[in-house]
């Protein structure tokens, strides 16, 4: 029986790989990034390493860090509002599964509207979402190469899954220096 794998369009691996963000942004003609990163990564300077690449290349961005460890519908809703208000045209997710799940869900709603609950389940995202660059800072979640987002519905006390190949990040940047320099309390 044949197995099929669908992965990112482009992945960069190795020390210093975050520098390749500039390559993708320039070649794709992206204008302004919506950067999703959790508050601890911002606090400990991990996010700043990626933002420095953007700054050094003169790229505009909006940082969004209202992300809980188990991201909620509210995190997604405020993310979509911030995405639209900032005039961004692509996503950069920095961190573990939470940041990437919020970025994926934000991409869905920024593209198609509605509520994230509308897309719960298998293959309900009708087409491509806003392009996303996924930059993991932990080992093990695999969210940078998976076609799912898990969002907590606090009203129902339920974790829902949005599963669609359409939300798979188009680009992944795996740079071990981000993990090696992170405090042990946030690196997994």
């Amino acid at each position: 029986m044949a197995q099929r794998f669908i992965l990112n369009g482009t992945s960069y691996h190795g020390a210093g790989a975050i520098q390749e963000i500039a390559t993708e942004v320039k070649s794709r003609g992206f204008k302004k990034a919506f950067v999703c990163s959790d508050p601890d990564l911002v606090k400990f300077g991990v996010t700043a390493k990626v933002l420095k690449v953007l700054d050094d290349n003169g790229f505009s961005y909006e940082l969004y860090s209202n992300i809980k460890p188990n991201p909620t519908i509210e995190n997604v809703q405020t993310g979509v509002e911030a995405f639209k208000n900032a005039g961004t045209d692509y996503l950069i997710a920095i961190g573990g599964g939470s940041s990437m799940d919020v970025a994926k869900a934000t991409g869905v709603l920024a593209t198609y509207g509605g509520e994230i609950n509308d897309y719960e389940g298998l293959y309900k995202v009708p087409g491509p979402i806003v392009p996303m660059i996924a930059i993991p800072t932990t080992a093990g979640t695999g969210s940078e190469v998976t076609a799912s987002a898990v969002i907590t519905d606090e009203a129902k006390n339920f974790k829902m899954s949005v599963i669609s190949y359409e939300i798979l990040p188009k680009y992944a940047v795996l740079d071990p220096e981000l993990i090696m320099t992170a405090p042990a309390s946030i690196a997994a």
Side-chain angles (χ1 to χ4, degrees):
M1 176 159 131
Q3 299 295 317
R4 179 177 131 179
F5 291 94
I6 299 174
L7 299 173
N8 311 78
T10 304
S11 293
Y12 294 97
H13 304 263
I18 60 170
Q19 298 304 318
E20 295 302 326
I21 295 167
T23 302
E24 290 302 326
V25 172
K26 287 176 188 171
S27 69
R28 307 291 176 205
F30 297 148
K31 302 295 181 220
K32 186 175 183 182
F34 188 72
V35 180
C36 293
S37 189
D38 73 59
D40 284 340
L41 292 175
V42 172
K43 176 180 166 184
F44 293 115
V46 177
T47 302
K49 293 174 184 175
V50 175
L51 298 180
K52 183 175 181 337
V53 173
L54 299 176
D55 288 333
D56 288 350
N57 287 277
F59 300 139
S60 296
Y61 60 87
E62 178 79 17
L63 175 61
Y64 177 74
S65 62
N66 183 20
I67 299 171
K68 293 182 179 179
N70 291 298
T72 65
I73 290 173
E74 179 185 0
N75 295 146
V76 174
Q77 290 170 331
T78 58
V80 171
E81 182 178 333
F83 180 93
K84 290 178 177 179
N85 289 339
T88 51
D89 64 336
Y90 70 106
L91 299 154
I92 295 178
I94 306 166
S98 297
S99 295
M100 292 189 201
D101 288 352
V102 168
K104 290 173 184 178
T106 297
V108 170
L109 298 185
T111 306
Y112 299 105
E115 301 294 327
I116 198 60
N117 307 63
D118 300 337
Y119 303 94
E120 179 184 358
L122 292 172
Y123 312 119
K124 294 183 181 175
V125 178
I129 66 167
V130 175
M132 179 176 161
I133 300 171
I135 307 166
T137 60
T138 61
T141 69
S143 192
E144 73 278 3
V145 293
T146 60
S148 63
V150 179
I151 304 296
T152 302
D153 184 334
E154 291 181 309
K156 294 180 181 176
N157 195 26
F158 176 73
K159 285 187 175 187
M160 75 176 96
S161 293
V162 175
I163 304 168
S164 174
Y165 290 116
E166 303 293 354
I167 67 172
L168 183 66
K170 300 295 182 226
Y171 315 96
V173 179
L174 290 83
D175 190 330
E177 291 178 345
L178 293 177
I179 297 172
M180 292 171 17
T181 59
S185 63
I186 64 169

